[in-house]
């Protein structure tokens, strides 16, 4: 009888130790689900491999819609997402009331001014036509670009969703023509120049790195709202694992992958926490 009790005790102890061993092994790997809007980017396999070496198992969750990744994050279906600009995240928060925050900057796709007729903005003449995208965010961004090129002056209170009515000076009396973003490349034969979104330019066979006669500067503070970011729930903003993923995205390997994957069309932007939070909080006001 004593032997049976002894065997039973040994068996229970062995099972307990095995269970503890598995728990310890499992606890070394943390799984993190990241919602994305394009899982085929060259940076993701690199990020996943770097994270794996640090005990972080990154799983990409693909979304086809631009609203779903934020809703999924708010509802805790995923842990992070990486698909949107700081401006888009702020707008989502303002409209939904959900507490999502940026924890790291990622890449920036500069908007450019393209032309089939001139090679420099200095060649624009009085009354020339310039096409710009008409959706709220892109339209304001395009006007900012024209201001940076020295072609326009915008009002001091010009905001993220403002339009040509906020132009205070237009020395060349340029004819600004808002149109559907997809139409801006097609308008090139009919206008002196056209402001075209980075992705749409690429789809139209243009090179976002080589073809613009003027484009946004990633080091200009005015373009920070259009830098993409990694977002987390507000309650997880200080999660060390999530912050580490954001740090890994900032490495030279990721920067090179983005450049090669986009033919230099997009660049990695490294905003400090102060710059990131400052831009986001300003847009949230």
């Amino acid at each position: 009888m004593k032997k049976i009790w002894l065997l039973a005790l040994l068996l229970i102890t062995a099972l307990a130790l095995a269970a503890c061993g598995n728990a310890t092994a499992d606890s070394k790997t943390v799984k993190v689900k990241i919602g994305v809007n394009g899982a085929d980017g060259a940076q993701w396999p690199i990020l996943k491999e770097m994270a794996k070496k640090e005990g972080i198992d990154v799983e990409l969750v693909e979304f086809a819609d631009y609203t779903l990744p934020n809703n999924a994050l708010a509802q805790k279906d995923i842990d992070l997402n990486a698909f949107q600009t700081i401006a888009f995240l702020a707008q989502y928060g303002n409209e939904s009331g959900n507490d999502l925050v940026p924890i790291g900057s990622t890449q920036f796709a500069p908007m450019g001014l393209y032309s089939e007729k001139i090679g420099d903005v200095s060649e624009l003449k009085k009354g020339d036509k310039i096409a710009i995208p008409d959706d709220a965010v892109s339209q304001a961004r395009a006007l900012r670009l024209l201001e940076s090129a020295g072609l326009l002056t915008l009002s001091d209170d010009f905001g993220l969703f403002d339009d040509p009515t906020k132009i205070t000076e237009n020395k060349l009396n340029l004819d600004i023509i808002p149109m559907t973003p997809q139409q801006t490349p097609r308008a090139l034969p009919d206008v002196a120049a056209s402001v075209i979104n980075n992705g749409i330019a690429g789809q139209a066979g243009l090179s976002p790195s080589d073809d613009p006669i003027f484009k946004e500067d990633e080091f200009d503070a005015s373009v920070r709202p259009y830098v993409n970011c990694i977002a987390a729930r507000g309650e997880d903003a200080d999660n060390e694992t999530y912050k580490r993923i954001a740090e890994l995205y900032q490495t030279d390997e990721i920067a090179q992958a983005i450049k090669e994957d986009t033919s230099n069309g997009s660049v990695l932007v490294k905003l400090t926490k102060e710059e990131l939070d400052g831009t986001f909080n300003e847009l949230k006001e």
Side-chain angles (χ1 to χ4, degrees):
M1 190 68 171
K2 288 182 180 180
K3 289 183 178 180
I4 295 175
W5 277 107
L6 181 60
L7 287 172
L9 181 60
L10 289 173
L11 180 60
I12 291 170
T13 302
L15 289 172
L17 288 172
C20 289
N22 289 335
T24 302
D26 291 343
S27 66
K28 290 180 180 179
T29 300
V30 180
K31 188 165 188 176
V32 178
K33 293 183 178 181
I34 305 178
V36 297
N37 200 255
D40 56 347
Q43 74 273 25
W44 293 120
I46 297 173
L47 180 70
K48 290 175 72 171
E49 186 59 31
M50 288 192 297
K52 184 177 180 180
K53 291 177 180 178
E54 299 194 14
I56 306 170
D57 179 16
V58 171
E59 177 187 345
L60 299 181
V61 181
E62 179 87 38
F63 293 91
D65 181 272
Y66 270 28
T67 302
L68 293 177
N70 279 334
N71 289 339
L73 180 57
Q75 295 164 9
K76 300 188 177 183
D77 294 327
I78 55 177
D79 305 302
L80 301 170
N81 68 40
F83 76 100
Q84 64 194 320
T85 63
I86 301 171
F88 189 91
L89 178 62
Q91 183 183 12
Y92 172 83
N94 288 336
E95 293 178 351
S96 69
N98 290 326
D99 182 24
L100 304 184
V101 298
I103 62 168
S105 58
T106 57
Q107 56 183 297
F108 174 66
M111 177 179 273
L113 180 65
Y114 297 76
S115 177
E116 292 182 350
K117 299 179 173 65
I118 60 174
D120 190 273
V121 292
S122 63
E123 298 174 43
L124 285 167
K125 303 183 298 295
K126 284 191 176 182
D128 273 346
K129 297 179 179 180
I130 297 184
I132 65 172
D134 66 357
D135 65 284
V137 173
S138 295
Q139 183 170 223
R141 184 177 177 181
L143 292 171
R144 282 286 189 199
L145 173 66
L146 297 177
E147 183 180 50
S148 296
L151 300 173
L152 303 172
T153 301
L154 304 172
S155 64
D156 292 338
D157 64 345
F158 188 84
L160 196 63
F161 308 107
D162 278 325
D163 56 36
T165 62
K166 289 295 186 77
I167 296 173
T168 58
E169 187 176 30
N170 182 357
K171 291 181 179 179
L172 291 177
N173 195 28
L174 298 170
D175 185 8
I176 309 298
I177 308 172
M179 61 181 63
T180 304
Q182 286 73 18
Q183 292 294 328
T184 51
R186 300 171 193 169
L188 283 170
D190 305 315
V191 297
S194 183
V195 179
I196 307 174
N197 285 316
N198 188 292
I200 292 175
Q203 293 168 6
L206 298 167
S207 170
S209 62
D210 301 325
D211 291 339
I213 61 173
F214 189 85
K215 64 180 180 178
E216 292 172 324
D217 178 2
E218 67 265 27
F219 299 108
D220 187 339
S222 68
V223 305
R224 285 179 188 166
Y226 313 116
V227 172
N228 285 276
C229 64
I230 295 176
R233 289 179 292 276
E235 64 192 59
D236 294 326
D238 294 322
N239 181 294
E240 292 300 326
T241 298
Y242 300 166
K243 286 164 64 177
R244 183 55 184 155
I245 289 175
E247 289 171 357
L248 291 174
Y249 201 107
Q250 295 288 319
T251 57
D252 291 341
E253 294 90 339
I254 295 292
Q256 188 61 33
I258 290 171
K259 288 180 66 176
E260 293 177 359
D261 197 34
T262 63
S263 300
N264 291 321
S266 296
V267 294
L268 180 71
V269 173
K270 301 179 180 181
L271 296 182
T272 65
K273 186 179 188 306
E274 291 72 22
E275 291 170 338
L276 190 66
D277 292 345
T279 300
F280 181 69
N281 292 332
E282 184 178 336
L283 295 171
K284 284 277 288 180
E285 291 177 355

